[in-house]
Amino acid sequence: NADIAMYCSKESGRNSYSFFTQEMNHDYQKKMVLEKALRKALHSNELKIVYQPKMDIETNSITGMEALVRWESSELGMISPTEFIPLAEETGIILPLGEWVLKSACFQNKIWQDMGYTPIPVSVNISMRQFYDDNFVESVMNILKETNLGAHYLDLEITESISMTNINSVICRLNDLKAMGISISIDDFGTGYSSLSYLKKFPINSLKIDRSFVKDITSNSENRAIVKTIISMANNLNLDVIAEGVETEEELLFLKSNGCLVVQGYLFSPPLSGEEFERTFLEQHKGSVLSKRKGRTVF
Ligand code: C2E
Ligand code: MG
Ligand code: MG
Ligand code: MG
């Protein structure tokens, strides 16, 4: 671990730097630079949220949206969440960052509703560190109050790794959220370790089939078997099931014929800026809403 190595080396004096390879030093420095920039990002408008639709393939209409954070650093350029989210988790920055994402997504969703668009729930990714924070439930409650968004328009995506430790306290917390009217999805389903008996006990609403199983679904028979199994298990447990990372018509056809009727993926749309999302999906899927009131859209 480069962190510990550098820490120890500082303690024991300058010469000991030579114990560490150039590469470790480089990784550590890179991380420090990234961490410093990430702390700054929170306060300097470098973060934004993009939205990807969840599509109902039977009616070809949008049934949800996933909020995904983006970071364009003034110094470092565009950085992927797969790079900075783990760092944010490790450093604790995920607490203010996650709260910002949650608040912004709820705020935007409420604005869209106030503008007269058909209300569509928003899903927000919650990392383990946030979920386990003692103030988590309260902070979600406050955000809903502050933004005035109805709790049933909020869905939280958690990963299976969350669900494995401290089962009883996890169930308690999930029950608190559910009692408020929030729905819960298990993200990246199939890649974690949750046992089926725990799954039965969790007050969750849906499973999201991990993208890695959807990929190559047409050529890979193991993936086909896994996806079929997840779909029928979700059906039997009375859970909704969503496939992520759907990129081709073939994948879509397979999912449809096996009873997975909600999908997300590049086939329908990549994640879009709030502005583009509004134009592409909200304006065109207005449904039964008659009048569009004046409102402010904040991106
Ligand atoms: P995730 O929650 O599983 O999100 C789905 C990821 O798959 C997103 O990547 C999305 O852009 C990408 N994706 C969607 N459709 C397709 C497709 O058809 N093909 C391919 N190849 N990819 C597709 P993104 O936005 O880079 O986010 C990566 C991960 O970072 C997310 O995975 C999530 O775990 C994490 N993340 C993103 N935003 C947040 C956030 O606000 N909070 C937290 N805690 N984690 C976040
Ligand atoms: Mg997700
Ligand atoms: Mg996720
Ligand atoms: Mg996922």
Side-chain angles (χ1 to χ4, degrees):
N1 182 311
D3 262 284
I4 292 171
M6 282 304 285
Y7 180 72
C8 294
S9 71
K10 273 186 204 152
E11 293 292 285
S12 50
R14 285 170 85 183
N15 291 340
S16 53
Y17 275 100
S18 57
F19 286 122
F20 306 101
T21 65
Q22 204 83 57
E23 200 184 327
M24 281 168 96
N25 226 322
H26 181 77
D27 282 354
Y28 178 77
Q29 277 166 3
K30 204 177 134 194
K31 211 161 129 184
M32 289 297 284
V33 169
L34 206 61
E35 181 183 339
K36 202 171 154 223
L38 185 57
R39 285 189 194 282
K40 206 192 83 185
L42 260 176
H43 311 286
S44 50
N45 267 335
E46 293 181 352
L47 298 176
K48 58 173 201 160
I49 297 179
V50 290
Y51 297 89
Q52 188 178 37
K54 300 190 179 192
M55 303 299 294
D56 177 329
I57 58 182
E58 275 190 315
T59 59
N60 206 34
S61 60
I62 171 176
T63 62
M65 59 181 94
E66 178 172 4
L68 295 153
V69 69
R70 291 292 177 267
W71 176 26
E72 185 165 10
S73 159
S74 57
E75 300 139 53
L76 308 166
M78 208 59 196
I79 296 160
S80 163
T82 55
E83 197 171 341
F84 71 81
I85 292 289
L87 180 69
E89 283 168 350
E90 206 179 306
T91 54
I93 301 174
I94 194 68
L95 294 177
L97 191 157
E99 200 170 329
W100 179 85
V101 171
L102 192 60
K103 194 181 287 184
S104 309
C106 290
F107 190 61
Q108 179 65 79
N109 197 275
K110 173 66 175 153
I111 285 171
W112 278 331
Q113 294 190 25
D114 287 348
M115 288 174 76
Y117 295 125
T118 306
I120 294 162
V122 62
S123 299
V124 179
N125 291 285
I126 301 296
S127 73
M128 175 144 103
R129 182 118 180 222
Q130 275 177 283
F131 184 83
Y132 278 130
D133 187 73
D134 283 336
N135 297 317
F136 180 64
V137 175
E138 202 192 331
S139 110
V140 175
M141 214 184 304
N142 288 337
I143 286 172
L144 288 176
K145 225 183 278 170
E146 207 179 311
T147 59
N148 213 11
L149 181 74
H152 48 289
Y153 294 114
L154 179 61
D155 173 66
L156 302 179
E157 294 191 4
I158 62 175
T159 54
E160 279 177 276
S161 52
I162 288 184
S163 34
M164 273 319 288
T165 34
N166 297 327
I167 295 303
N168 286 326
S169 73
V170 170
I171 293 177
C172 265
R173 202 154 283 196
L174 291 175
N175 276 326
D176 287 346
L177 294 164
K178 191 156 195 179
M180 288 161 61
I182 293 166
S183 73
I184 309 284
S185 301
I186 306 287
D187 204 354
D188 309 331
F189 188 76
T191 60
Y193 323 92
S194 54
S195 104
L196 301 183
S197 62
Y198 289 144
L199 203 58
K200 195 181 72 179
K201 287 187 203 157
F202 286 151
I204 55 172
N205 302 77
S206 50
L207 302 180
K208 293 188 79 175
I209 304 171
D210 191 67
R211 186 167 92 213
S212 60
F213 302 123
V214 173
K215 201 170 174 258
D216 305 325
I217 216 174
T218 35
S219 58
N220 181 323
S221 61
E222 278 104 6
N223 279 2
R224 271 203 301 280
I226 290 169
V227 168
K228 275 187 182 179
T229 305
I230 296 176
I231 295 169
S232 71
M233 187 180 68
N235 286 336
N236 291 331
L237 293 173
N238 217 358
L239 300 172
D240 290 331
V241 62
I242 301 174
E244 56 180 26
V246 178
E247 295 184 356
T248 68
E249 291 288 349
E250 290 74 32
E251 289 163 359
L252 185 67
L253 198 66
F254 178 88
L255 291 161
K256 192 172 183 176
S257 59
N258 284 285
C260 177
L261 303 175
V262 180
V263 306
Q264 224 182 310
Y266 295 167
L267 180 64
F268 287 95
S269 173
L272 301 173
S273 71
E275 229 163 355
E276 283 177 297
F277 184 83
E278 182 179 337
R279 217 178 318 120
T280 314
F281 290 98
L282 300 180
E283 285 180 358
Q284 291 178 17
H285 292 79
K286 246 194 238 168
S288 58
V289 175
L290 296 172
S291 66
K292 188 174 150 184
R293 276 195 280 141
K294 273 198 183 140
R296 218 160 29 105
T297 305
V298 177
F299 299 113

